[in-house]
Each structure stands twice: as structure tokens, then as C-alpha cells.
Amino acid sequence: MLEKLAGAPEKVNTSPIISDEVKTTTCYMCACRCGIKVHLKDGGIRYIEGNKKHPVNKGVLCAKGSAGIMQHFSPARLTKPLKRVGPRGSGEFEEISWDEAMKTATGWLSRIRNEDPKKLAFFTGRDQSQSLTGFWAQQFGTPNFAAHGGFCSVNMAAGGIYTVGGSFWEFGEPDWDHTKYMMMFGVAEDHDSNPIKTGLGKLKTRGAKVVAVNPVRTGYAAIADEWIGIRPGTDGLFVLAIVHELLKADKVDLEYLARYTNASWLVRVAPGEADDGLFVRDDDGAPLSWDREAGGTVKAQSADSNPAMVGEVTLPDGRKAVPSFHLMADRYLADEYAPDAVAERCGISANQIRSIAAELADVAFEQTVTLDIPWTDWTGRKHDKMVGRPVAIHAMRGISAHTNGFHTCRALHLLQMVLGAVDTPGSFRYKPPFPRPAPPGPKPAGKPEHLGPNQPMPGPPLGFTAGPEDLLLDENGGPMRIDHAYSWKAPLSAHGMMHMVIRNAWEGNPYKIDTLFMYMANMGWNSSMNTDGTLDMLTDKDEETGEYKIPRIIYSDAFWSETIAYADLVLPDTTYLERWDAVSILDRPISSAHGPADAIRQPVVKPDRDVKAFQEVVIDLGYRLGLPGFTNDDGTAKFPGGYPDYLTNHTRGAPDIGPLAGFRGADGKGAGRGEPNPDQLQAYIDNDCFWSHELDESQLYFKHSNKDYLEWSASMGFIPNANQIVLQVYSETLQKFRLAGQGHGDILPPEEERARIVEYFDPLPIWYAPFEEAAVQTDEFPLHAITQRPAAMYHSWGSQNAWLRQIHGSNPLFIPRALGEKHGIEDGDWVRLTSHNGSIVATAKLMEGVNINTVWTWNAIGKRKGAWNLEEGAPETNKGFLLNPLISDLLPDKKTANADPVTGQAAWYDLRVRIEKVSAAEAEDMSTSRHTALTPPKSVVDRPDILRYGKKRA
């Protein structure tokens, strides 16, 4: 040994030949959607690396992306279609052929379509094919369609789209190259992680200040220059206190507000009248402002007006009006928004709030960024420079998943507008195809006149309401959808309310359904509020008939998850490396602020099991059912080549817009619009499976008012015309609903809903205590409890992954050290956490970087015994846990959804709890009695003691 150590150093081959073929595709280990290169050896997957040419990650790849190989080789993969033969939840299935599976599904679905299409509830989870699945639901004729957004982040999306015509994350990003001050609100570590990490690296290199507003200091917050450990659910109050300070100090960009927002638009002041709070308009419907020089009204969007921003005016008809800025300033200058008034509730100091406001003002107004780029605004005015406020805000689910989340998101965008920091150099920037008008089209379809046997709906099931006339209501004013979306329960529910589907179907509220059809939605475990209650609902039977209250459940997924056991028919999906897929401009593209982009996935390998990609199944079902969008007039299949055929040849709306924007037209040289190109998919493959377009320099900023950009966006089909997109300081849409709540108009809410509509549909952002906090005794439940997703996990998928499990095999309950010491809790102790909805046990871990009134854990690490084909004694099933059983889908009144009253967003983060130390024996008793172990079906492969991908590859 000594001789060897003394000798020449061992030679290590740092560049071994690991593959005989390399294919590019798009990662699906999270929603970042990075470009990857998959190395193959002897036809098997050997290695995954980032693609340096890809616009999203530029070669960077995280732990999840690298571990995609172990996702593909997971022993939890389903291998055959399954039909339930035992009771629901027993896991007793028999293997069937695909022919039988498709005939069974077609039989169930065709009967529904022949009788009453809305008795199909079609809800998908984390798929990225919503333009396809939504189109399928429209063709089937059911309004009961949605994806995961309603229980994830619809507040963020709707709050942004209804305010500035875009939103954070997938619809917008910070100007990483020019911002000097960035604030992150509620940003977790798993979403968009590679671009955020790269961007933060740029900021830290340039010396820009990063402020993290989050109850927990992990991940991005851990490297922030300043951490604001806010109390959950008070972000909006904190932001409005900053607005108060800016208004008080007169640090407001009035020129920006006058030119690009509706801050100068006159709002009628007529309490008790039907048009109170609506904009004053001329005979053509154009909104009006008060011109200070002319001393009268002018069109608000006049190029050369000098609009008044404050002061009450008397209109020619003798009635009164004020600019919306006047209403906004009057509200937030009130003492109730002063830092001293809000600090204790927010859990931070008043001085810290004042300090942040002063820093924002200094950077925005004293450190402007000027780019020597000429541009033309929507009026035709020429500007020789682009001048911006280098303050950028980025926010994610942490602010969204509260019952006050919609208004919190609006408050964030209001702060940006007050600073003049929306799509300027250094600020928040839109990603094409955004911005869009606020609110945009289309309207949701699903009114009574839209529905009938064997007929498609005239429009998509999801959309944007602009007033009570757009709601989906039955003849009695009740919900038309099973989830109550677009009803008076949640009028702006742009993503649906997936978290209410199972409860409402179980209750038959507002009607009984026949079949629940789900895809990639683990509603029997981590994707369900009130998990225990949800499992009871899935297995509950009608006492009179003995049949399940939810008669039939079809479920498609690639893995043996907790929910598979509750399905009647299981359609096994492929892994993402075995199928075609599209990250579509029609859905959630991979664009950046520099230009639009989309991508495909191509099959890197063929499945070695009897499975089919869900998209292929949907298209086949569409043909078998005779849905017009999938069947020719002569009865033949419209897309005989399956999903690739659909991606290439499907168009909608305009006849030259399809799922993929790149390489369009017969010659493949078109972009955005163009007739189908038979070689389009090959063109994507030749271009590393993506398409991107770089905007011209003159189009990069002020997209909401940039003539060159607006005309280009309209030519691409992103927006209906090249008109200015006006940012909404004041929301007339919300005021229309409020007026209905006050008894004005033809479509009125039920009497019991009116006070709720009036209170929460305020046209200016408001803050109110989260509903659960207001409903429980806070001395009985003194703590907040929240979850975050770790960088190395994504929902429940990661916890079956042999590599990622080594990073997060179990999850403790993280407790503020001072709180733990108060209760005599040390690291590793067992604790019981109790809410108004139930109790769970967990092991404790003390830490400093968390709000003193908050406990938290990683999300979706805990697994049910027997699920995901994990080994006996797996830490995920013995020490891992979920907060979900503590979170109720209903508020303590047992009548009202635990959801935002505007959008219906699930309020995961409003949870209030108490904590107590328990013995290991008590913990064992609680944990083992909660759920019996699941037994994997025979078709799930035998689990090896050690999962070696090399052996599997060979």
C-alpha cells in the first residue's frame, strides 16, 4: 500500500466514452422544462446532461434533472392496464388488455355523452398538455375540466393577468441583467430553479441587493442580503404598508402611472347607484380623464393630454367623479396602513418596513437605468432611450396559497406600478405571449345553453370572466360546474377548483356525476386537502343502492401512487423519456423576456412495458367517441398518427395557429402562424427539440405600450389587436361584481352570497386576515404551519427516485428554536401537531431561520406504506409525513370552501395548529393506525434490494 501511495498518481479518465448515441429532449422532473441531452448505450439510457444550446437552462442541470434516469427505471412504474376487482382502496386489480381498457372507457364515456356530458368530471394534475386536454373536454361537451392551477397558484396568475396582463414565473421574470434591487416573495426552490439560480448568480456578481420575504430562510432566501421572516398570510399587508410610505414620501412615478395605467381614468362617485365606481366613458365607450389644461374631459388614452391624478370633478351632467389614483392614494395613506400599525401583525419591525420602502424609492428614482435603444410607443411617439426603474419583484406560490392571495398578488403589482417598474429596464419583464389585455379572452364556456347530448361546447371550459354576465350559472343562479368554478362561490376562478371536485361529487353538489377521470393528480394523498376525509369520500357508498357515491373513477399515471388504489380503471402512462410531448405556446411555454420559445419531448427510448402515453390515449378516445375535433366528417380519425399527428396538424381559432409556433408553413420557415408543416417535428429535433425567437432590440421593454412589440404580438396571434394594454391600478371588473352584490344589474348573487361579494370584490387591493385564522381560536391554535418544496423534489414524484431519496428520505417538522425550547422539544423528539381538522405526529428539528410563530416541513416526502413500491421500512413511510390531513377543504363552519373568495385558490398555507411533545410509543400508535398498507398489483415489477440502473440498462 505504501509503495502504491509513494508511486505515480493513479490516472483517471475524466472523459470516458459513455454512449454510442445522444438524443435531445425536454426534462420533466419539474416545471422548469430544461433542455437535456440523453446519452444512450446499447439502446438503453446511460446518462443525462444539460443542453448548453437550450434557452432555459443553457446547459445547467439540477439534481432532479440528472436523476431523471432513476425516474425512468423506477420500480413503481405501472406495466399493464388494470381493472379493479376488489373494494376501492384495496389495491386488488386484474390485468387487462389495452383493447379491453379502451372499450371499457369508451363505453362509460359514450353513455355519459349521449345523456348528459357534464356528468363527466375530467381533471388533470401536473401534466403540461392542458391545451390538448382542455380542447378534448370542450369537444366532449363537459364544462367540468381543470388542471392543477386551482390548488397551486391561480391567485398569482389571475392576480397578475387581471392587473397587468401578465404574471410572475411562467409569464414574467426579473430583468436579471439590469435590476439593482430584487424582492422575492414566497419563492420555493423547486420551480424554475435553474433560471432563478443563474439569475441570482448574476445579481450577486453585480452587487445588486436581494431581499427575500418568506417565513422560512432556506434555498434562495438563505443567500439573500436581507431576509424578512414574515408571518404567513400577511405579505399583502406588508406590501401595502410600503405603498403607504411611498405615497407619504411622494416617491411615486406619476408620469408612468398617467401614461401606462388607468390611474388617471375618472371613476364615477355615485353611492347607491348602478354605475357607482365604474369608469366614466364617452358615447363610444372610451374611458375619460380630466385634462388639467383644458379643464374638461378628454379620452383617457389621448396622446397629448395632461390628466389630473387627484381631485373631485363635476362632469357635464352634474355628477361627480375622481381619478382612480385619487381613490388609491386616499386609501393607502390612511393610518391603518402605516408601518407602526401593521408591523406586529406581520411579525416584522416598523423600521424594517420603512427601510425597505426607502431603499426601493432610492433605487427606483435615484439609480435609474438608461439604455440607448430608440423605441416607439403605441401613440406613435418616438423615444430615443429606454429609461427604467431597476427594482424587480418575483413571487410564487407562497403568497398565492392563502384566502387573501388574490389581493396580495394585486398589491405586489400595484407596488410595481407605483414605482413605474413594469417591463422597464431593470424591473419585472413580461415573457411572450404576454402581456395580454386585462382581462384577456376567451370567456369560459359551460352555460346551460352551451351544453347538450353529443355536442361540443362553443368555447373552452376555462377562461376569464369580465363581469356577472360571464358566470356559469344554472337557471336558479347556482353553479354549473361540479367544482363551483365561475359561480358566485369563485367568480374569477381562471384555473378551476380541482381541490373541490371530490367533495362536491361525493355530495352531489350541485348534481351527481357519473365518472371522475383524472390524470397525474395524486388526489388520494399529497394533492388533496383533508386527505383522510378525501379517501373516505372516494370509498363511501350510497346506503340505498350500495353503489359508490362517485360511481366510476378512471385514472392515468405512470407510477403506483396512493391514488391508483382508488381507481376502477387504470390507464398506465409512459415516463417522459418514452413519449412525444409539447411545451406549447397555447399552454405554458418556455419563453423568456427576450422572446417566445416552445419545445417538444421526443421518445428517447421505447417503452418496455404495455403502457401508452396519456396524450395518445386521449386522442384515441376522442376518435372512438366521435368527438368532432378528433373525427372527420366521414367518421375516420382526424389524427391517425396519434399525438405527433395532432401536434403537427391541429389548428384552432385562427386556421394557421397550432400547438407549436416554430417551423410553420409548408417550407418550415414560418413562426407563430402558418399552415401545418409535415416536417415540423423533425425540424424541432434538428434544433435540439426547441424553437425560440429573439425580439428586436426596440421590442424588449414597455411591451404593454410598445408599438413595434404590440404589432408583432398581434401578427403572431398572441393578442387580438395592437392596442395599448392598460395596466389596471383600479379593477372595473371587480367593481362590476361588487355592484351585483349591492343589488344592481340583471344577474345577481344569491342573498347569502351578497355581503361576501361586496366585501372581497374591491376594485383596489385589500388585505384581510386569512379565513382559517379568523375562524379558529388563535390561542388554541397559536402557530402557523406551512410546507415548501425542496430543490431536489417535485410533488410526490421524487420520493420514489433512488438518487433523490438519498437527499430527502424523510422530512422532519422544523420548529423555531425558541419555540422548541419553550415546549422542551429537542432534535429528534416526536411531536403531535393538531389543527381544527385533525392531528399528526412528526419528528422535530430545531432551527433559527423561521418565523417565530411558524412551523414547517418539506412537502410530499411522506408516503403511504406500500405505495410507490418502496421497501418495507422506507423512511418516507415511517418518518415521512404530510400536513395535508390537518388542512381542511372546508372552513370550520363546514360549509365554505377553504379557498380564496375571488378565484377559488386552495388555501394550503392558512393552516393554524398547536404543538406538543409526545413519546415514541404515542407517535407509533398514531402513525400506524392512520392508514393500512397498500399492496402493489402484480403487474408492478419486483423491487430489487438495490436499484442499479446499469444492470437495468443492459
Side-chain angles (χ1 to χ4, degrees):
M1 174 63 73
L2 292 175
E3 291 177 0
K4 183 175 182 180
L5 290 174
E10 182 181 356
K11 291 185 178 181
V12 177
N13 183 359
T14 58
S15 300
I17 298 174
I18 59 171
S19 57
D20 50 33
E21 184 181 10
V22 178
K23 292 185 178 180
T24 58
T25 189
T26 303
C27 186
Y28 201 178
M29 292 298 288
C30 78
C32 197
R33 298 157 302 173
C34 298
I36 55 175
K37 298 170 73 173
V38 183
H39 291 255
L40 304 172
K41 182 76 170 178
D42 302 326
I45 299 170
R46 184 71 178 87
Y47 178 67
I48 298 175
E49 66 174 328
N51 183 356
K52 294 179 181 179
K53 298 179 182 178
H54 200 273
V56 170
N57 58 315
K58 300 177 176 62
V60 175
L61 201 61
C62 70
K64 296 189 300 294
S66 299
I69 190 168
M70 301 309 280
Q71 204 83 346
H72 175 71
F73 291 135
S74 168
R77 293 183 305 173
L78 298 171
T79 60
K80 291 281 290 184
L82 303 172
K83 182 172 70 174
R84 180 178 59 81
V85 294
R88 275 194 196 153
S90 67
E92 296 177 34
F93 293 96
E94 69 175 5
E95 296 180 5
I96 59 175
S97 67
W98 270 103
D99 184 56
E100 181 180 352
M102 295 301 285
K103 285 181 178 178
T104 300
T106 303
W108 292 353
L109 298 176
S110 62
R111 185 184 67 255
I112 296 170
R113 188 166 183 261
N114 291 336
E115 297 172 0
D116 186 357
K118 72 176 184 294
K119 290 195 173 183
L120 169 65
F122 182 35
F123 285 76
T124 70
R126 265 305 181 183
D127 73 292
Q128 295 169 4
S129 305
Q130 292 162 33
S131 65
L132 166 64
T133 51
F135 179 72
W136 190 94
Q138 175 186 341
Q139 297 300 303
F140 187 90
T142 181
N144 292 321
F145 166 82
H148 76 285
F151 67 62
C152 182
S153 58
V154 67
N155 274 335
M156 188 175 68
I161 288 170
Y162 275 85
T163 306
V164 297
S167 187
F168 302 112
W169 184 33
E170 287 169 316
F171 306 155
E173 65 184 344
D175 187 351
W176 300 111
D177 295 318
H178 298 105
T179 193
K180 299 179 182 180
Y181 196 100
M182 178 182 172
M183 294 188 75
M184 297 182 292
F185 287 79
V187 178
E189 296 148 38
D190 66 322
H191 278 32
D192 207 28
S193 59
N194 290 328
I196 289 178
K197 286 181 290 189
T198 302
L200 288 173
K202 290 182 177 181
L203 299 191
K204 301 293 281 187
T205 299
R206 289 195 290 104
K209 181 167 182 178
V210 178
V211 179
V213 184
N214 197 314
V216 180
R217 188 169 198 177
T218 62
Y220 309 137
I223 66 165
D225 299 289
E226 185 170 352
W227 170 58
I228 299 176
I230 199 163
R231 274 188 56 197
T234 64
D235 306 76
L237 190 58
F238 167 62
V239 171
L240 294 176
I242 294 174
V243 172
H244 169 96
E245 287 293 287
L246 294 172
L247 289 167
K248 195 170 110 176
D250 199 23
K251 294 295 185 180
V252 176
D253 194 335
L254 287 174
E255 182 181 355
Y256 186 96
L257 288 165
R259 183 172 290 178
Y260 303 124
T261 80
N262 63 12
S264 72
W265 294 14
L266 291 172
V267 179
R268 199 174 295 279
V269 181
E273 299 184 29
D275 58 355
D276 177 47
L278 300 181
F279 290 124
V280 178
R281 300 177 184 272
D282 64 14
D283 292 340
D284 297 325
L288 301 177
S289 295
W290 188 266
D291 190 279
R292 292 186 294 179
E293 295 178 2
T297 57
V298 295
K299 290 184 186 294
Q301 292 174 274
S302 300
D304 53 359
S305 67
N306 185 11
M309 302 294 280
V310 296
E312 185 177 79
V313 300
T314 302
L315 301 170
D317 60 6
R319 303 174 75 197
K320 304 295 184 181
V322 296
S324 67
F325 180 87
H326 180 114
L327 297 173
M328 186 267 286
D330 188 56
R331 170 171 293 180
Y332 304 125
L333 281 169
D335 290 342
E336 66 183 284
Y337 292 104
D340 290 313
V342 310
E344 183 177 358
R345 184 179 279 275
C346 293
I348 54 182
S349 72
N351 284 339
Q352 192 171 28
I353 298 173
R354 282 189 280 265
S355 174
I356 294 292
E359 290 176 354
L360 286 170
D362 177 70
V363 174
F365 298 108
E366 305 302 326
Q367 302 182 41
T368 55
V369 170
T370 300
L371 303 181
D372 292 323
I373 301 174
W375 68 287
T376 305
D377 68 27
W378 89 100
T379 68
R381 286 177 297 204
K382 304 286 186 180
H383 304 265
D384 60 353
K385 300 179 187 304
M386 289 181 169
V387 181
R389 312 290 185 193
V391 171
I393 292 175
H394 192 62
M396 291 177 71
R397 186 186 185 214
I399 62 164
S400 186
H402 294 283
T403 44
N404 58 22
F406 174 78
H407 278 288
T408 293
C409 293
R410 286 210 72 221
L412 278 173
H413 292 296
L414 174 68
L415 173 59
Q416 293 179 127
M417 288 187 281
V418 165
L419 291 170
V422 177
D423 212 64
T424 73
S427 71
F428 161 86
R429 301 177 67 190
Y430 298 105
K431 297 180 183 180
F434 294 89
R436 286 173 168 162
K443 312 293 187 195
K447 297 187 177 200
E449 61 269 25
H450 296 161
L451 308 178
N454 294 310
Q455 70 179 47
M457 295 194 301
L462 298 178
F464 298 90
T465 55
E469 67 279 4
D470 298 326
L471 294 179
L472 306 182
L473 304 171
D474 63 22
E475 60 276 9
N476 299 316
M480 279 299 296
R481 287 175 53 116
I482 192 65
D483 59 354
H484 297 178
Y486 305 113
S487 73
W488 292 109
K489 303 286 186 184
L492 269 60
S493 47
H495 291 172
M497 296 173 64
M498 186 168 184
H499 51 290
M500 295 306 298
V501 171
I502 290 174
R503 172 171 288 279
N504 293 345
W506 171 70
E507 290 181 345
N509 178 12
Y511 45 78
K512 292 182 181 297
I513 67 166
D514 180 282
T515 297
L516 175 60
F517 188 3
M518 296 187 296
Y519 173 54
M520 204 185 290
N522 199 13
M523 300 298 287
W525 197 245
N526 63 287
S527 291
S528 178
M529 305 168 96
N530 186 23
T531 305
D532 297 357
T534 298
L535 297 181
D536 290 341
M537 296 173 206
L538 292 174
T539 55
D540 193 24
K541 293 186 176 182
D542 188 299
E543 291 183 0
E544 294 183 5
T545 65
E547 299 297 322
Y548 288 112
K549 288 189 176 180
I550 303 177
R552 273 161 285 280
I553 298 175
I554 304 173
Y555 187 46
S556 178
D557 205 329
F559 306 105
W560 167 243
S561 70
E562 288 86 354
T563 303
I564 294 288
Y566 294 85
D568 304 309
L569 179 65
V570 178
L571 308 176
D573 191 22
T574 63
T575 70
Y576 72 99
L577 296 173
E578 298 170 318
R579 68 164 176 255
W580 292 98
D581 213 341
V583 184
S584 172
I585 284 284
L586 301 179
D587 196 350
R588 302 162 63 197
I590 56 167
S591 306
S592 76
H594 297 281
D598 60 12
I600 66 166
R601 294 185 183 95
Q602 63 163 324
V604 174
V605 292
K606 293 180 179 180
D608 59 356
R609 310 164 317 288
D610 193 12
V611 298
K612 292 185 179 181
F614 180 70
Q615 295 86 348
E616 296 283 353
V617 171
V618 165
I619 290 171
D620 189 12
L621 280 174
Y623 163 62
R624 289 170 183 253
L625 292 166
L627 306 187
F630 299 90
T631 314
N632 294 315
D633 292 340
D634 62 1
T636 58
K638 186 166 287 188
F639 306 108
Y643 194 41
D645 193 347
Y646 173 90
L647 291 176
T648 301
N649 295 304
H650 170 72
T651 59
R652 69 178 70 174
D656 55 356
I657 296 177
L660 294 170
F663 314 108
R664 299 198 65 79
D667 59 3
K669 296 181 179 179
R673 310 180 78 143
E675 62 185 280
N677 167 19
D679 299 318
Q680 187 181 35
L681 292 180
Q682 186 58 51
Y684 270 85
I685 293 171
D686 293 342
N687 197 56
D688 284 2
C689 290
F690 71 89
W691 165 84
S692 64
H693 169 79
E694 288 286 325
L695 294 174
D696 291 340
E697 193 176 49
S698 65
Q699 301 170 325
L700 286 174
Y701 296 94
F702 300 95
K703 296 184 185 75
H704 47 76
S705 299
N706 185 316
K707 188 173 187 290
D708 289 348
Y709 176 82
L710 291 168
E711 290 178 348
W712 172 83
S713 183
S715 73
M716 292 285 286
F718 297 161
I719 54 178
N721 53 56
N723 295 342
Q724 180 196 20
I725 293 169
V726 180
L727 312 184
Q728 307 288 300
V729 167
Y730 181 98
S731 174
E732 189 176 54
T733 293
L734 294 178
Q735 180 63 12
K736 289 177 180 178
F737 284 104
R738 171 176 268 190
L739 287 170
Q742 294 170 343
H744 300 294
D746 297 329
I747 302 173
L748 304 178
E751 196 66 42
E752 65 272 15
E753 298 283 359
R754 293 192 182 185
R756 189 168 180 257
I757 295 294
V758 171
E759 182 171 2
Y760 299 116
F761 280 73
D762 197 303
L764 291 168
I766 58 176
W767 184 88
Y768 47 89
F771 289 169
E772 181 169 326
E773 180 176 327
V776 302
Q777 295 294 324
T778 53
D779 55 349
E780 183 181 359
F781 302 106
L783 302 175
H784 301 269
I786 60 174
T787 60
Q788 285 196 169
R789 297 196 197 104
M793 293 289 180
Y794 185 65
H795 291 271
S796 55
W797 298 349
S799 292
Q800 56 156 332
N801 187 293
W803 290 353
L804 300 180
R805 290 180 63 204
Q806 297 175 56
I807 302 174
H808 293 289
S810 63
N811 54 312
L813 181 72
F814 294 97
I815 302 171
R817 187 170 298 280
L819 179 67
E821 292 172 351
K822 174 183 174 182
H823 289 273
I825 299 169
E826 298 179 355
D827 285 352
D829 284 348
W830 285 95
V831 295
R832 174 164 45 237
L833 214 56
T834 303
S835 74
H836 78 89
N837 197 56
S839 293
I840 60 169
V841 291
T843 55
K845 177 68 176 175
L846 307 186
M847 66 176 290
E848 276 77 20
V850 59
N851 174 274
I852 190 62
N853 296 303
T854 303
V855 297
W856 72 281
T857 191
W858 298 120
N859 180 43
I861 303 297
K863 293 288 178 284
R864 185 169 172 180
K865 289 181 183 296
W868 301 95
N869 209 10
L870 298 178
E871 69 275 12
E872 183 72 25
E876 291 87 349
T877 65
N878 287 276
K879 285 195 172 183
F881 71 98
L882 302 177
L883 287 183
N884 302 56
L886 302 182
I887 307 170
S888 178
D889 52 341
L890 298 178
L891 294 174
D893 65 8
K894 301 303 180 185
K895 297 185 298 183
T896 309
N898 184 16
D900 187 288
V902 180
T903 66
Q905 156 96 48
W908 298 94
Y909 294 162
D910 283 358
L911 179 62
R912 296 296 296 243
V913 299
R914 66 173 179 266
I915 191 171
E916 56 193 312
K917 183 177 177 179
V918 297
S919 68
E922 289 177 277
E924 175 69 16
D925 183 60
M926 280 195 68
S927 62
T928 56
S929 63
R930 181 173 293 280
H931 301 291
T932 58
L934 298 173
T935 302
K938 295 177 181 179
S939 59
V940 173
V941 298
D942 290 337
R943 180 189 61 252
D945 293 332
I946 299 177
L947 183 59
R948 292 185 173 90
Y949 75 90
K951 181 178 179 181
K952 178 69 176 180
R953 173 181 58 82

